[in-house]
Amino acid sequence: MPALAPPSLFLARAARLAPAMRVLAALLLLIGLSVAVTLPSGYNSDALYVYSQAKDLIAFQSLRGWTLSAIPFTVPDLLAALPIAAIVPGPRAYYFSAAPVQIVVLGVALSARLARTQRRPFDRTMLAFAIGAAFVVLLYGAAFYPFGYFAVQPLFILNYHGFAAICATLLAVVACDDDFRLLREHLPATLVAVALLTASDFFFAVYFGAMLAAALLVSRSRALLLPVVAVGGLSAAVFAGSYLLNPSLGVHIRESAATPVELGSWQVAARMIGLMIVPTALVLVLRLRGALSRRSLILYLSLLVMLAALAVAGLMKDLSAFRYLAILVPVSLVLVLDIVADVPAKREATLLVAAAASVGAALTVVGLKPSSALSPYRDEIACIDAADRPGSSIAAQYWPAKIVFEGTGRRHNLVQVGAALEPWDWISNARWRSLHHGGRTTFVVADRLDQQALTRLAREAEAEAICGGKLLKIDRPPAELNVLKWAAPAAAR
């Protein structure tokens, strides 16, 4: 009987996989990582923002009727969400289907760029990217939990500044490779891209502006002054224009200013220093190897500039604000690719096994969480479906509104309200109030509504409490309820 081959031989054979198999392994690793990141939190109304816009574009061919947020998330988030929303059956399927999009786009774009500029094989770079992503993301998310998880999550939700971070990083990588010559020579096209991305997500200007500032510090070249001034002036103009044209931006600024501070300055600083351990360690490795490129130095310095700007602006008030640091992951992955540029095939195979094992362990741990966390308001959705009143109306506060509306397959109208049942058109579409005609029932989702307002509504409308008190069922449409008179059907579609 022949002797069994040692494990090292199997790893060596794995390293000789065909290029297509390497790319497939990379994609599977990134998909598994995406599931590991999205499983712990589940989707919410914010996460469904782009999904709902995509569904409206498919149904109405426009976004007329929308009250956009302070940051609209349209380019490229909405464009990426459109084909997914057209195919998947509902919000939960969308949440998981969309999760790998951004990290895969970043990996493909970086691998293609390095294949062109440094003649690195695309398949090996893509696999190295996936391995690096597994270690970096799990380290940020687990070792620095919970604030590290908030910094990682935006890369796996089409919202929350993930695409802004990716686009800024890719643009900086391209610009740094030729000392910003390409950017300067095609300044009009660059400014168009900056305007679109800034109008979609103001944090693109923060991230890319920090990269330009770092480049200016490193090069001290007058040639960079023109693009820096042009991009900075354009970004400020876009912000000012949005403030004048989009009322939600002013509301968001005032509410943010009034939000109580949960983290002190030293707490924020300590957490920022903790998150900087990863990119700092990567830069030190590159420096010790004598492989620290000008591009890597600029990207690292841009993180310091960006962290300082966010701290001075006072935006880091609570743990959820760490999603503003989404730029940490793509920059760290660029540094990782510089480190693994000369990794031998045998070590690559070992790292692949270790990365796959790490992702598998993460999936096992987060898979133990109750599934109810992944389907918020599932009881309310099930109760409305069981009532079998198609064409009725749902009245709900912002947080459950889109979840219940989309979870019931848009078979009902939606009236979004504030805690006291007042009008609240934040990040919603007025068209949703009149999608269906003839319905005589109103379901009021009790969660996050003021108890006195609910009691007053129940007394006025003779409401029936159903679903264990989670819903009020009223056999009258919103337009016939005094407290919801403002919710008369909107103009016809």
Side-chain angles (χ1 to χ4, degrees), residues 213-226:
L216 193 60
L217 289 173
V218 171
S219 67
R220 298 180 182 178
S221 170
R222 292 182 180 180
L224 272 180
L225 282 176
L226 176 59

Side-chain angles (χ1 to χ4, degrees), residues 386-443:
D388 194 22
R389 302 288 179 92
S392 60
S393 295
I394 298 168
Q397 191 264 357
Y398 169 76
W399 206 242
K402 281 197 291 292
I403 298 176
V404 178
F405 174 63
E406 300 290 4
T408 53
R410 296 189 164 208
R411 292 187 297 273
H412 311 276
N413 302 316
L414 176 66
V415 176
Q416 190 167 290
V417 298
L421 297 174
E422 76 278 13
W424 190 251
D425 291 327
W426 179 259
I427 312 180
S428 63
N429 193 342
R431 291 182 175 187
W432 295 344
R433 300 178 194 167
S434 57
L435 287 179
H436 311 280
H437 300 285
R440 297 287 304 170
T441 303
T442 299
F443 294 98

Side-chain angles (χ1 to χ4, degrees), residues 35-101:
V35 175
V37 173
T38 51
L39 267 177
S41 58
Y43 61 89
N44 55 40
S45 251
D46 283 346
L48 295 184
Y49 177 1
V50 177
Y51 171 75
S52 292
Q53 285 190 330
K55 295 289 284 186
D56 280 356
L57 269 182
I58 294 169
F60 310 138
Q61 292 76 56
S62 79
L63 294 179
R64 183 171 59 83
W66 262 86
T67 299
L68 300 174
S69 68
I71 302 172
F73 299 106
T74 50
V75 183
D77 306 67
L78 179 55
L79 300 180
L82 272 171
I84 303 173
I87 296 171
V88 299
R92 179 170 178 172
Y94 164 81
Y95 181 63
F96 287 104
S97 300
V101 169

Side-chain angles (χ1 to χ4, degrees), residues 343-358:
V343 170
K346 287 185 178 181
R347 188 172 296 177
E348 177 189 69
T350 304
L351 291 173
L352 174 59
V353 172
S358 300

Side-chain angles (χ1 to χ4, degrees), residues 232-307:
L234 179 63
S235 299
V238 170
F239 184 87
S242 297
Y243 184 85
L244 295 174
L245 297 175
N246 181 8
S248 296
L249 178 55
V251 172
H252 177 71
I253 292 174
R254 289 191 295 272
E255 289 188 347
S256 296
T259 301
V261 177
E262 297 179 10
L263 296 175
S265 300
W266 286 108
Q267 292 174 303
V268 171
R271 285 162 173 78
M272 284 184 170
I273 292 171
L275 291 176
M276 282 299 294
I277 290 175
V278 174
T280 301
L282 296 174
V283 165
L284 288 176
V285 170
L286 289 170
R287 181 70 179 85
L288 291 173
R289 287 185 178 183
L292 181 60
S293 65
R294 183 172 174 274
R295 179 189 65 196
S296 295
L297 179 60
I298 288 173
L299 290 176
Y300 178 76
L301 290 178
S302 73
L303 295 182
L304 299 178
V305 172
M306 188 266 301
L307 291 176

